[in-house]
Amino acid sequence: MSSTAAHYTASELLAVMSSRLLKDGQIVFAGVGIPLLAATLAQGTHCPGLTILFEGGVIGPVIEPGKLPPSTNEQRCTVRANMVLASTDVLLLLQRGYVDIGFMGGAQIDQYGNLNSSFIGDPAHPKTRLPGTGGGNDIASLAQMIVAMKHEKRRFVEEVDFVTSPGFLRGGTSRRDSGLLAGGMYRVVTDLGIFGFDEQTRRMKIVALHDGVSIEQVQDNTGFKLEPARDVEVTKRPTERELEFLRKLDPERLYTA
Amino acid sequence: MSSTAAHYTASELLAVMSSRLLKDGQIVFAGVGIPLLAATLAQGTHCPGLTILFEGGVIGPVIEPGKLPPSTNEQRCTVRANMVLASTDVLLLLQRGYVDIGFMGGAQIDQYGNLNSSFIGDPAHPKTRLPGTGGGNDIASLAQMIVAMKHEKRRFVEEVDFVTSPGFLRGGTSRRDSGLLAGGMYRVVTDLGIFGFDEQTRRMKIVALHDGVSIEQVQDNTGFKLEPARDVEVTKRPTERELEFLRKLDPERLYTA
Amino acid sequence: MSDSYLDLRRKLTERDRSLHEKVVSLEQAAALVKDGETVGIGGSTLSRTPMAMVWALIRARKKRLTCARGITSSEGDWLFGSGACDHMITSWFSQGIVWGVSKVMRHYTEQGLARFDEWSHMAMGMRFRAGAMGVPFLPMRSMLGSDVVRQRPEVREMECPFTGDKLLLVPALNPDVALIHVQRCDAYGNAQMDGLQFLDIDLAMAATRVILTTERIVSNGQIRRVPDQTKIPFFAVEAVVEVPFGCAPHECSGVNEPLFKHMDYYTSLVNKEPVKGMAEYLDRYVYGPKSWTEYLNLLGLDHLLEAAKGGRSVSNA
Amino acid sequence: MSDSYLDLRRKLTERDRSLHEKVVSLEQAAALVKDGETVGIGGSTLSRTPMAMVWALIRARKKRLTCARGITSSEGDWLFGSGACDHMITSWFSQGIVWGVSKVMRHYTEQGLARFDEWSHMAMGMRFRAGAMGVPFLPMRSMLGSDVVRQRPEVREMECPFTGDKLLLVPALNPDVALIHVQRCDAYGNAQMDGLQFLDIDLAMAATRVILTTERIVSNGQIRRVPDQTKIPFFAVEAVVEVPFGCAPHECSGVNEPLFKHMDYYTSLVNKEPVKGMAEYLDRYVYGPKSWTEYLNLLGLDHLLEAAKGGRSVSNA
């Protein structure tokens, strides 16, 4: 491994690890930031046939290095796309079942994979009003999810203050019982490891650790008890090729600093 | 009155009389044949600001003399239109309330203005299976209606074999009770006269007779009892200008023979 | 039609939805349709009917298809008369207003040989739209009170929980396959269409898979230059067939007007004797020719070019 | 919002829906919006925001507006900060992802000075679509189970009478007026738009009346040459205002990219002191200039031309 590959930021690690979870031929509903970088990286490496959808109403755009869109509702998202359609209709593709993976970032997540981007504190008298769901609730309600986020104790809480985007709600069959028949949390990717959810309890578990990270370190940074899966793997460090691709894509380090 | 105006066909009479019922600025959902001729004639005479909608998905086309469309789902309908949209969406304009008048022909009508274009005889074992509703049911359910048709006893029946396009159903408040909150039959135009519907009973009544037509003659050609309105008017004969316009519009006499 | 929500989703995920070439022949496309399937037919009345594909299905001797279309014209005659289809779901079924009532439709429905389920045109639109949206129904305000609704045990009436209004709920219609003809698409199936869209976009998204026929295949680069003109995304499409004049004798907007003389000949032949006339027509025009091009030749190049002149010039006005 | 079906229809019929010219000034258009009305805002986040119209409403000292938009950006700040609006109905409300959480939104919502009703983005789309379709609700499958739905007494859950699935019914949203910016329209209001449509078409048809701002007014003849490109019909439109760069400092597809430097300046100013910073900004940029052109001048011609270069070249790739 070269010296370039030896140095990378936490964001670069997130992007690389997430990209490796994507499979060729998948249709991925991506947010801007790490998800878009990761999906574009996947296209450039092992997934030439991956299709990106944007919430603004875009199918299959080409992301130009150095011209990352500032939101999924901006004209840069439409560059050399295969199709541009109404936002409602691109969201309905989730409901129809056309989307393999919903891929977004997260501010706060709990043991059942529920995400909060609405309120810190009591929603009736919030300490902080956050921007809200956007399409996050729809994506998380209707597709298999990958979430990429920094691993901090204040972000990994036992129970989120507010379920903006549903994971497995209160675990067990509660998601399906609520009427959410499809989708659900698949993986959470952090700068410490990769996490999945138990098939029965739907609680978060450790699937893999990044090189040099211990289970204790993960547990210390998590606000609830994390069980390891039967065989916790160790991920392979980002390669030079992956990092070069990312740095070309985001030369100003808007999302990878 | 010139000698040209003295001679006209029953179809020409229908087109002229119907056109005079239209008001400037109205939005008219028109079928091909007499309705389209009448609406175009109205545009050329007293309604320059009349807008025609077609079931295929057209707003505000310009009908070229000699190039009448063979159906409302044909490209000739789109010529110099203001907008072309999905059929479902043009039909939804009826439901939204954007259409002042639905205007169509009829094969069989009853005393409450119900139209049949589906079955002659028992629907379970029909003597004749007719083509069906198309958008007729939607138009009659959602807009004020003008119907233009030949006045024959077999077409003006006490009760239609099958209610394809609803008039006032079984009279009284039955239309509204069925959930049809808006619209309803406004006028039936025939080669004998113009007919409306009683505000209470919703039975058909005579509003006007064409020049030289008697109430007896109308009753003889009608399969149910027709009450005259309080003041039955006599319509003014088609003018030379109206007939010339129609003959220029349909030089091959496809619809006016 | 009675697939559960998860079944409908599963059927989509079973297909290869990556951006890949899917250009095939008419015969190969016909082989993708199985006997007994529900087939949604694009276009309306005489317009943008995927006639070449219907022709190919009949030649491939399909059986027991259930077909659904907004408004049904002579392609419905063909489907009933050939025995390919014994069940039409549509709002209107004849050959076209100018030819009166189809005697072929009458023969098959009045004799109980085939089924014609009548819905209002908007109801057909709502059923495809519900299917496209991934919901089991949509609410609407027409068809209520009429005998059309009394013939349709598939619907439900409800009292609106918000307003108390009476509403009609029509169930989603998710065909196994949709046949759609467009003016142009790329080899992956990104389709752009001109003029009237009819119900085609909802139909495409409601169906489990789409077979596209197209006047011409253009490059993906051409599609990507105007992505806001793409109406059907490649991942909904299973096969692409390039078929010039693929709607003849019906029209294709900007390409050709209907071949009226052929339609006149056709309707007089089959309406005189619905069974024998249709057998004669199918033998000569559907089973007889070796290819779609030979079929077009039978229609007559002069007639075709005249119709094409009318089609191309429609927006000159 | 609680109008009955017949009330909604009546409001449409009260308008002159004939094909007539309706070009007015920004000030005249602003006078068409009444205090307390519900205003739907077209575009999304930083794109095709009808900023000139929002600017004009604030200058006209509108009060107690309820505003609804798919995704809300700095125009929401302006509306809260100016006192024109005390109630936003939207799925997301900040200045844009790159600037973090809006301190203006936080100040007004956390202090209870204004209301921010949160719906999922698709729910906003469904609410406008229901309004556009003339139905009181549409069914959907997201928001269920989440706390977002628990905050929304407006919705109903139902068990599907066809499938038994649990569904969420969201009520139609029919704004009194919709503000929509397009690349071009004619003097009658036939509007054509390029690129992302967002929720605008449903919003236009849901609203009782539409105020269009447009980069340029084209002839009706130009519209009629490509009627399948018209997205909003003239009869939905009450007023047309020609406003070049009418979305600045936001973007308009093919016209200009966002004016990022101005947005950076704006966010740093208002997020430092949400009330005082906003007052300063509004004084300088909204109340101060004599005209929209003078406002553009304040943004800086160099900045504007740079953004226009980016906007025009976006499809060159």
Side-chain angles (χ1 to χ4, degrees), chain B residues 38-158:
Chain B
T40 307
L41 171 59
Q43 284 179 327
T45 54
H46 61 292
C47 302
L50 183 91
T51 296
I52 294 172
L53 307 191
F54 287 133
E55 182 177 332
V58 184
I59 294 174
V62 173
I63 303 303
E64 291 182 278
K67 289 194 176 175
L68 293 167
S71 83
T72 57
N73 289 266
E74 210 255 6
Q75 61 185 326
R76 283 186 187 178
C77 294
T78 67
V79 173
R80 294 187 61 220
N82 281 301
M83 181 167 176
V84 168
L85 67 171
S87 306
T88 305
D89 293 316
V90 83
L91 290 162
L92 286 169
L93 292 174
L94 289 157
Q95 187 163 277
R96 179 68 181 87
Y98 264 112
V99 179
D100 295 292
I101 294 288
F103 190 177
M104 57 198 217
Q108 193 188 50
I109 194 166
D110 70 16
Q111 59 180 330
Y112 295 118
N114 301 305
L115 295 164
N116 177 17
S117 57
S118 299
F119 298 96
I120 305 294
D122 176 7
H125 305 284
K127 187 169 156 285
T128 308
R129 185 40 159 128
L130 297 172
T133 162
N137 177 285
D138 303 310
I139 301 168
S141 295
L142 299 165
Q144 289 283 328
M145 290 292 293
I146 297 175
V147 173
M149 59 191 288
K150 297 275 167 70
H151 208 128
E152 299 170 14
K153 202 160 193 162
R154 65 186 183 98
R155 294 179 184 274
F156 279 68
V157 299
E158 182 149 3

Side-chain angles (χ1 to χ4, degrees), chain B residues 55 131-135, chain C residues 69-72 89-93 116-122 124:
Chain B
E55 182 177 332
T133 162
Chain C
R69 197 184 192 207
I71 289 183
T72 301
I89 303 171
T90 188
S91 76
W92 193 92
F93 184 172
F116 159 19
D117 287 0
E118 182 176 339
W119 296 76
S120 84
H121 196 179
M122 194 166 82
M124 289 301 299

Side-chain angles (χ1 to χ4, degrees), chain A residues 32 55-58 64 70-71 73-76 78-80 84-89 91-92 95 118-119 123 126-135 137-138 141-142 161-164 166 169-170 177-181 255, chain D residues 44-45 47 71 91-94 97-98 101 105-106 109-110 116 118-122 125-126 129 140-148 150-151 165-166 195-199 202 251-254 256-258 260 311 314 317:
Chain A
V32 293
E55 183 176 331
V58 184
E64 292 181 279
S71 83
N73 289 268
E74 209 255 5
Q75 61 185 329
R76 284 186 186 180
T78 67
V79 174
R80 295 187 61 219
V84 168
L85 67 172
S87 305
T88 306
D89 292 315
L91 290 162
L92 285 170
Q95 188 163 276
S118 299
F119 296 96
K127 185 168 157 287
T128 308
R129 185 42 159 127
L130 298 172
T133 162
N137 177 285
D138 304 310
S141 294
L142 298 164
D161 293 341
F162 187 90
V163 178
T164 305
L169 296 175
R170 293 157 308 284
D177 297 343
S178 295
L180 301 177
L181 302 181
Y255 301 105
Chain D
S44 190
T45 327
S47 291
I71 290 183
S91 76
W92 193 92
F93 185 172
S94 202
I97 291 174
V98 290
V101 184
M105 177 279 285
R106 284 193 56 189
T109 54
E110 291 169 14
F116 159 19
E118 181 175 339
W119 296 76
S120 84
H121 196 181
M122 194 165 83
M126 289 296 108
R129 187 161 289 183
M140 56 182 276
R141 296 181 186 274
S142 68
M143 267 175 69
L144 289 160
S146 70
D147 287 332
V148 179
R150 257 180 278 281
Q151 302 271 315
D165 292 356
K166 197 173 281 191
L196 293 159
Q197 301 172 11
F198 304 113
L199 315 181
D202 288 323
E251 75 166 23
C252 179
S253 187
N256 65 281
E257 290 212 289
F260 282 114
V314 78

Side-chain angles (χ1 to χ4, degrees), chain A residues 146-218:
Chain A
I146 297 176
V147 173
M149 57 191 288
K150 297 274 167 71
H151 208 127
E152 299 170 15
K153 201 161 195 160
R154 66 186 182 98
R155 295 179 184 276
F156 278 68
V157 299
E158 182 150 2
E159 191 178 346
V160 287
D161 293 341
F162 187 90
V163 178
T164 305
S165 300
F168 292 106
L169 296 175
R170 293 157 308 284
T173 61
S174 60
R175 179 183 167 99
R176 169 173 285 258
D177 297 343
S178 295
L180 301 177
L181 302 181
M185 280 289 149
Y186 170 61
R187 289 288 182 272
V188 179
V189 179
T190 78
D191 43 332
L192 298 183
I194 297 175
F195 305 86
F197 293 83
D198 183 85
E199 284 294 313
Q200 298 302 317
T201 65
R202 298 305 195 177
R203 290 191 73 239
M204 199 187 292
K205 64 183 182 182
I206 305 170
V207 169
L209 296 173
H210 299 323
D211 191 28
V213 175
S214 69
I215 289 187
E216 292 66 35
Q217 195 181 342
V218 170

Side-chain angles (χ1 to χ4, degrees), chain D residues 212-275:
Chain D
L212 280 184
T213 53
T214 181
E215 290 294 323
R216 62 194 183 104
I217 293 173
V218 299
S219 71
N220 181 247
Q222 179 167 334
I223 294 290
R224 288 184 189 267
R225 271 193 289 280
V226 280
D228 52 3
Q229 297 304 305
T230 305
K231 302 297 181 203
I232 299 172
F234 67 91
F235 50 65
V237 175
E238 191 72 0
V240 170
V241 192
E242 192 175 56
V243 198
F245 297 110
C247 299
H250 289 186
E251 75 166 23
C252 179
S253 187
V255 174
N256 65 281
E257 290 212 289
L259 279 68
F260 282 114
K261 278 179 291 190
H262 183 79
M263 287 296 297
D264 288 342
Y265 156 76
Y266 162 79
T267 50
S268 68
L269 178 68
V270 299
N271 283 350
K272 201 165 57 192
E273 292 181 283
V275 175

